[in-house]
Every structure is written in C-alpha cells, then in structure tokens.
Amino acid sequence: MAGTQQDNACPATEQALASPRPGRTLIAGPVIPLAVMAITLAVMLWGVSARPYWGDEADTVSAVSRSVPQLIRLLGHVDAVHGLYYLLLWPVVRVAGTSEFATRLPSAVAMAAAAAGVTVIARRLVSRRAGLCAGLIFAVLPTVSLQGHDARPYAMVTAAAVLASYLLVRAAQDPRPRWFAAYGLSVALVGYTQLFGLLLVPAHAVTLIGLSRRHRAARNGRRALTCRWLVTIAAAGVAMAPVAILGWAQRGAISWIPRPGWHDLDDVANLMAAGSVASVVMIGLLSVLGGTRGDSLMTWPPAPARDAARAAAADRSLTWLAVPWLILPPLLLLAVSEIKPVYNGRYVTYCLPAVALLAGTGLAALRWPMRAAAVALVLTLAVPAQLGLRVPGNGMRAAAQFLSAHERPGDAIIYPEPSIPPWDLAYPQGFAHLRDISLKQTAAASGRLYASTVPRPVLERRERGVRRIWAVQMQPDDNPATYLAPGFHLTHLWKLDGYLKVWLYTVAHDQK
C-alpha cells in the first residue's frame, strides 16, 4: 500500500513498520489481494452444500427464520453473543432462503475477505511475494474451508480479526485519530461477532510492546502511541459492555463444554494445519522460517555475506504481529478453562490468519526450487482433508429425504426429547409436512431456539387421533416408545447413519 503521511509523535515505531528495506515493496495495487480473494472464494464455494446442517447450524436457521422483533426477543434469552451474526444473516435468508448454500455463503465470502486481508498485511510488512504466499496458504488450510462451509459466525470473526490487525499496523505507522478510531471500531466488531475474539486484544498489546522495545529512541512517541491504544481499547470495551453482560448472563449455553485435556493441544495443532502430523510439521517448519528469517527477506539456504546484513536490519514486524496472535488466544482460553471450561477449537478459528502470515512468509523466503517443492507438499497434505470436507453426509438431510419419500397423508411425528429441535425449519421438505403432535409452542413464539412440548398426558390424547407416528432418533439414548400411548407398536426401524434412526409406529390393526 502507498505510504501515508508520517506522524512525528512516534518516528521510531513508524520507521520500524514502514521504512523501506532491500527487497521490500509497498505497492498499493489491488490485483494480488483481489486474485487471492477470488481463489479463496472459489475454494470456499467448492462443495459448500455437500454436508448437511449440523445442530448449531439448525439453531442458526431457527434464529434467522423469525421476524426481527422475535429475533431480538430470542437474544434476550440465548445467543446474544451471536446477535450481530444473526442480524447480518437475516436479510440474506429473506432474499435467498434457508438452503445450505444461502446460509453458508456469507461465511465463504468472509473467509475470502480474510484471505485478501492476510495478503495485504504480509505485503505491507514484508513483500508482495510474501503477501501472495500467505494468502494462498490461508486459502488451502482445511479449517478455513470447514468454517467457510459453516452457517456460524467463526468465519466472520476471522475476517474481523484480520481487519483489526491490519488497522493496528496502520495506526502504529500513522498514529492519527482516524486510524485509531477505525481500529477501535474493528475491535468492537470482533467482540460483537464472537466474544472470545476479544482475546486478540492481549495479543495486540504484546505486538505493540514488542515493536516499541525493539527501537529505543523516541520514548515520548512510544508513550503517546501506547496511550492512544489504551484509550481506544477502553472505548471499544465500553461499546462491548452490553454483549459482554448478556454473554455472562447466558453462560449456561456453553455449560456442555468439558474440561480440556492434553488432547486439546493436539486439537489446536491440527486446527492450525491440515489435520495430520505431517501437515503440522510442514506448516510448523514454514512458520518458524517465516518468523525467524522471513521479515529480513532472506532466501534460504542463505548466502552468508549478503543475507547477514539483511538479517541485522530486520525488525521482525510481522513476527511481532503474528506470533502473539497465534499463541495467546488459544493459551488464554485453555488456561481459563482450568477454572471454567470454555475452550472449543472453533472459538480460536480467528488465529488461522497468523499461521498463514508466518507460513506464507517462510514460503516466500525459500529459493525457487525449494519453494516449488514446499508448495507441492503443502497441497498434497491439504488435499485429502479438503476432499473429506466435501463428502456428502447424511444427518438431518437424509432423515428429511427419507420421511418425504415414505410419509402418508395424516401421519404425525413426535420428538423423543424434552424440546423440539428446529429440523422442520432446516429441512421443511421432510419434517414440515408431518403434523407435530408434540408441539406446544413454536420456537419463535416462545423466544427460544427450540419449540416447547406438551405434557405427556396431552401428548397421549393427541396420539389417539392418529394411526401412524414417526420419530427420528438423533441421540443414542433416545427411546421413542416411552413417548407413545398404549396400542402403538414398532412397525419399522431404519438405520440411516451412525446412531441416526427413523422409527415408524402404528396402531396394532394398522401394521403393514
């Protein structure tokens, strides 16, 4: 990007981030970021509808299928931390419907935007080649595709984290109020998209401290920069207060999360690579190379006399940005989980851009033959996981298709659970055609994600008016027979996928 007007209040830090070095390019042309964005979007759209909705995605459909006042009411009870995501998705659903493609498209676009942002950051701090490599590494990471194919907010918070990190760099280069205002708004956006995304703030604090301490001149300028950052974060914190308060009040929604163990560290490593030991090693080696040598624009193996001078001049700007971003949020979340379990791999998806920045910079630091071999190896390791994400699954979609093919007029359905999941909203072609005799109040009317059920005596009275009752078992310990009135017998049981089963009960004289 083109250089901005310099601020004399912090010349050392600005020089650390913006002064040209041998081989460094700050061309503002949008061609490379747009190309990376287009490639990433193509990868995200490839097979985006292959997998059926899972439980949390069905919750998303439940939330955005209601009116705005009903949605606001829902957020007062549950999922306030996802409120902004639901509100952004709401008009998309009104225009395009609730198909997997429509609801996952915003996530795919968000990951494409994040890839463009990764490219811009690496190009600004290192080189155009590093920007291109970092953006492409991001595009091929399987976890990026996993969350780009998910109608949940984790792709959007990833894009917001990239934006906030880019604006931190710009504010450090040019500490004028407009950049800090934009940075503060982006931090608030991170928090409103996912509350745990605010763990990026301690990482940014380390980034700012590290960049300042490497350049010991202009102490007053560093203090001014730090003060502006603290004021900005305080303002963002005030803006975040409502969702933080509601999130704390609704913390019971994540009470299912178990206490983390050593396997969660393995989960973090696989999350950041391609799901295999070999990919963890490969991405790890490239990241170490990028963090230790990439900022100096060295090529590796080095030519000692020439590259030693470059190494001495390196300020490790990208390393100070990416390493805290990669390490601190997962470690802080795991540490807090020792007191109150809150860690889940999806909650640190927004750290993936840091992996791409480091690994992409390491890739760019290799000489051409080794770079080509590394690219081929990364692709080879990523392809199996990428293909696995696009294998059509069964799940709720298979159950809906089965019911649609076998149901008869007058058939009813019950749900062997205390509440009724929103399967009829996610897959109306199968579930919505059956009369739900267990329904007391719809999810939208009750202000909850799930509909409520009638008491058992009321259910039994309703069952006497039907001849065939369907039940779909999504949990291994469900027993639909306990929800049926006397006189019903199991006619058929179909096992569709894993513990997914479809049951058909009929009255004794109607068995066929």
Side-chain angles (χ1 to χ4, degrees), residues 198-288:
L198 292 177
L199 293 175
L200 183 66
V201 172
H204 281 179
V206 173
T207 297
L208 210 60
I209 292 170
L211 290 175
S212 299
R213 286 187 174 180
R214 289 189 64 83
H215 297 269
R216 300 181 180 180
R219 179 176 299 176
N220 291 337
R222 296 199 308 274
R223 286 179 178 174
L225 181 64
T226 301
C227 288
R228 292 177 188 180
W229 183 82
L230 290 172
V231 169
T232 301
I233 293 301
V238 171
M240 283 297 307
V243 72
I245 293 171
L246 283 173
W248 174 258
Q250 298 172 5
R251 63 190 181 279
I254 57 172
S255 60
W256 57 270
I257 297 179
R259 190 173 301 278
W262 288 108
H263 67 279
D264 289 292
L265 294 177
D266 179 66
D267 173 70
V268 172
N270 287 328
L271 175 77
M272 302 301 172
S276 67
V277 174
S279 69
V280 170
V281 172
M282 183 63 191
I283 297 294
L285 290 175
L286 287 175
S287 298
V288 170

Side-chain angles (χ1 to χ4, degrees), residues 409-465:
D411 285 2
I413 189 170
I414 62 170
Y415 294 89
E417 298 183 19
S419 56
I420 302 173
W423 302 338
D424 61 320
L425 298 174
Y427 292 106
Q429 68 273 22
F431 290 101
H433 294 164
L434 292 167
R435 182 163 60 99
D436 181 4
I437 58 176
S438 59
L439 176 66
K440 176 182 180 181
Q441 192 176 35
T442 64
S446 65
R448 307 288 179 174
L449 286 170
Y450 283 20
S452 58
T453 57
V454 296
R456 189 69 59 86
V458 177
L459 176 60
E460 290 185 358
R461 285 199 301 269
R462 291 181 178 181
E463 288 171 345
R464 295 190 184 103

Side-chain angles (χ1 to χ4, degrees), residues 102-230:
T103 57
R104 292 170 179 171
L105 179 61
S107 294
V109 173
M111 281 305 193
V118 166
T119 302
V120 171
I121 291 173
R123 185 180 65 177
R124 188 168 191 87
L125 296 181
V126 186
S127 70
R128 284 191 298 172
R129 186 172 68 198
L132 176 61
C133 291
L136 294 179
I137 286 285
F138 184 82
V140 302
L141 289 176
T143 306
V144 172
S145 292
L146 177 65
Q147 298 305 329
H149 289 185
D150 198 17
R152 297 300 284 171
Y154 307 112
M156 287 192 179
V157 72
T158 302
V162 171
L163 176 63
S165 299
Y166 168 74
L167 290 172
L168 175 70
V169 171
R170 293 306 305 264
Q173 291 177 350
D174 182 9
R176 286 182 290 179
R178 67 178 186 181
W179 289 115
F180 277 99
Y183 172 68
L185 290 173
S186 68
V187 170
L189 178 62
V190 169
Y192 271 97
T193 311
Q194 182 194 338
L195 199 57
F196 289 136
L198 292 177
L199 293 175
L200 183 66
V201 172
H204 281 179
V206 173
T207 297
L208 210 60
I209 292 170
L211 290 175
S212 299
R213 286 187 174 180
R214 289 189 64 83
H215 297 269
R216 300 181 180 180
R219 179 176 299 176
N220 291 337
R222 296 199 308 274
R223 286 179 178 174
L225 181 64
T226 301
C227 288
R228 292 177 188 180
W229 183 82
L230 290 172

Side-chain angles (χ1 to χ4, degrees), residues 6-200:
Q6 296 194 1
D7 191 321
N8 293 330
C10 194
T13 303
E14 184 171 350
Q15 182 180 3
L17 289 169
S19 60
R21 298 195 303 264
R24 187 173 187 179
T25 306
L26 294 177
I27 297 176
V31 175
I32 292 178
L34 288 177
V36 170
M37 184 175 183
I39 292 171
T40 307
L41 183 60
V43 174
M44 296 302 103
L45 294 181
W46 168 36
V48 69
S49 301
R51 293 181 297 112
Y53 284 132
W54 65 293
D56 283 10
E57 286 186 299
D59 292 349
T60 295
V61 175
S62 173
V64 300
S65 296
R66 60 194 75 194
S67 67
V68 171
Q70 289 173 332
L71 177 55
I72 298 300
R73 184 186 175 200
L74 168 73
L75 300 180
H77 293 127
V78 68
D79 271 4
V81 294
H82 301 320
L84 178 61
Y85 171 72
Y86 291 154
L87 289 170
L88 291 174
L89 189 59
W90 189 89
V92 176
V93 167
R94 290 298 166 285
V95 173
T98 57
S99 67
E100 291 102 334
F101 179 85
T103 57
R104 292 170 179 171
L105 179 61
S107 294
V109 173
M111 281 305 193
V118 166
T119 302
V120 171
I121 291 173
R123 185 180 65 177
R124 188 168 191 87
L125 296 181
V126 186
S127 70
R128 284 191 298 172
R129 186 172 68 198
L132 176 61
C133 291
L136 294 179
I137 286 285
F138 184 82
V140 302
L141 289 176
T143 306
V144 172
S145 292
L146 177 65
Q147 298 305 329
H149 289 185
D150 198 17
R152 297 300 284 171
Y154 307 112
M156 287 192 179
V157 72
T158 302
V162 171
L163 176 63
S165 299
Y166 168 74
L167 290 172
L168 175 70
V169 171
R170 293 306 305 264
Q173 291 177 350
D174 182 9
R176 286 182 290 179
R178 67 178 186 181
W179 289 115
F180 277 99
Y183 172 68
L185 290 173
S186 68
V187 170
L189 178 62
V190 169
Y192 271 97
T193 311
Q194 182 194 338
L195 199 57
F196 289 136
L198 292 177
L199 293 175
L200 183 66

